[in-house]
Amino acid sequence: MRCWTPGGGGTWQPYQPYTVGAQVTSSGLTYACQIAHTSLPGWEPPNTPALWRRL
């Protein structure tokens, strides 16, 4: 498992632990994690605005 930290980068993936401030890309857009969580399929940033904020 891989966890990205603020300022880092990576493509969103399911079953990954994300901390508040972690940044990921999804569909070419960058998002920041708003609530620490372990991702599940379907929790992609555009689908879960409570978890992810678009940058």
Side-chain angles (χ1 to χ4, degrees), residues 5-49:
T5 57
T11 302
W12 181 91
Q13 295 180 15
Y15 309 109
Q16 299 298 311
Y18 291 107
T19 57
V20 173
Q23 295 182 11
V24 298
T25 57
S26 179
S27 300
L29 300 172
T30 303
Y31 296 86
C33 180
Q34 300 188 111
I35 300 171
H37 66 284
T38 297
S39 59
L40 294 174
W43 287 12
E44 291 85 350
N47 299 336
T48 53

